[in-house]
Amino acid sequence: MIGSFLNAVIYRLPNNVSMKRTRSHCPSCDKLIFWYENIPILSYLFLRGKCSGCKTRISIQYPIVELISGIAGLLLMPKTFSYMNLFFFVFYFSVFECFLALFIIDLKHKILPNSINIYLAILLLIFGLIRFPVTHVIFGGGIGLLFPLGFTYLFYLIKGKVGLGGGDIKLWGALGLYLGIKGIVINIFFSCFLGSIIGVSYIVIKKMDKSQAIPFGPFIIIVSFVQIFFPSYFNEITRLVVGF
Ligand SMILES: [Zn+2]
């Protein structure tokens, strides 16, 4: 159900459709979607991926987001119940859903909406303060925001072009609150490295020319995902690559 809500966020936020109580309707023929056509995953199968009014194909993104969200919820579910476990479940699941929404919205529209970045920043601030010293949170957030900002300014002075989007910089600022100075600096280097590899391979296989911008958020999110959800695995990779 949260995956289904996330689909609405992914569709409505970049298209400036209100998140308030407006009923879902088909974007092609405006037909209202009945409750039984709005059941996560099952309705997509039952409708055979088509609108019941105009037979326009429904994007496969809808059931995929619902399925991924459901699986993530199951995997993150605490094995034993306690209020603390429940609290951490809400944290990890919310961060995961923010990542999923940002990933798809950036791929489709090349933007990272402020509202999701702010929501993520609040989550990471609260849990950063619970887990780490205040200095870890403040300096991590500060460096996450200022380091790429300074870098972008330098790039602008030299090249006369804006290299990174404001959304990327704000996302790094939010992530720094939880990852700390070392974590966010490693994140910036890893995501730039990953972005360059993918960017260059795209140019080489001529799917894209050099002047086109590639959405950068997905790279930041892939690196952060491993960093937050598989910290020991991530530290292992860092030790192999960077040596500390
Ligand atoms: Zn329709």
Side-chain angles (χ1 to χ4, degrees):
M1 283 162 70
I2 291 178
S4 192
F5 170 73
L6 205 70
N7 275 320
V9 171
I10 291 167
Y11 175 73
R12 293 186 184 196
L13 270 186
N15 292 314
N16 282 321
V17 182
S18 161
M19 286 305 296
K20 294 205 185 105
R21 290 173 53 102
T22 42
R23 293 241 344 244
S24 297
H25 57 86
C26 169
S28 298
C29 69
D30 252 2
K31 177 190 172 298
L32 277 179
I33 295 166
F34 295 118
W35 67 268
Y36 57 83
E37 295 175 332
N38 217 353
I39 302 164
I41 305 169
L42 296 179
S43 290
Y44 182 85
L45 299 174
F46 149 82
L47 290 165
R48 290 162 203 265
K50 289 187 199 108
C51 166
S52 65
C54 65
K55 304 289 172 205
T56 302
R57 289 213 71 83
I58 303 165
S59 164
I60 188 81
Q61 178 204 307
Y62 288 90
I64 287 178
V65 166
E66 288 160 358
L67 194 66
I68 292 177
S69 299
I71 292 171
L74 274 177
L75 291 176
L76 290 169
M77 201 164 69
K79 305 283 173 290
T80 49
F81 179 82
S82 73
Y83 287 107
M84 209 54 198
N85 281 348
L86 190 69
F87 198 51
F88 279 108
F89 168 73
V90 171
F91 167 67
Y92 281 114
F93 189 57
S94 308
V95 169
F96 182 85
E97 293 293 277
C98 287
F99 281 179
L100 188 55
L102 288 173
F103 190 95
I104 298 173
I105 292 174
D106 202 20
L107 274 187
K108 288 174 98 172
H109 305 275
K110 294 184 184 169
I111 53 160
L112 297 167
N114 275 334
S115 47
I116 305 181
N117 273 340
I118 291 168
Y119 179 67
L120 191 62
I122 293 169
L123 275 172
L124 294 170
L125 174 70
I126 294 170
F127 284 86
L129 287 172
I130 290 173
R131 281 216 161 134
F132 308 108
V134 184
T135 46
H136 173 104
V137 176
I138 294 172
F139 290 120
I143 294 291
L145 204 63
L146 295 176
F147 182 51
L149 197 66
F151 192 76
T152 308
Y153 185 64
L154 212 67
F155 187 81
Y156 178 74
L157 286 182
I158 297 167
K159 287 258 200 174
K161 278 190 296 196
V162 178
L164 279 166
D168 300 318
I169 298 171
K170 288 176 212 161
L171 177 59
W172 268 322
L175 290 163
L177 296 168
Y178 186 83
L179 297 174
I181 294 181
K182 186 187 161 191
I184 197 64
V185 170
I186 292 174
N187 183 299
I188 292 168
F189 277 107
F190 275 17
S191 34
C192 288
F193 181 67
L194 199 64
S196 322
I197 295 178
I198 309 277
V200 168
S201 1
Y202 254 70
I203 292 165
V204 168
I205 53 176
K206 282 186 180 164
K207 276 201 164 175
M208 202 178 82
D209 82 77
K210 253 190 223 163
S211 56
Q212 262 178 299
I214 50 165
F216 200 71
F219 303 116
I220 304 175
I221 288 160
I222 291 169
V223 176
S224 312
F225 172 72
V226 184
Q227 222 168 350
I228 292 175
F229 290 86
F230 302 96
S232 55
Y233 185 61
F234 188 83
N235 290 338
E236 203 66 29
I237 301 174
T238 313
R239 254 200 303 282
L240 283 173
V241 178
V242 196
F244 62 86

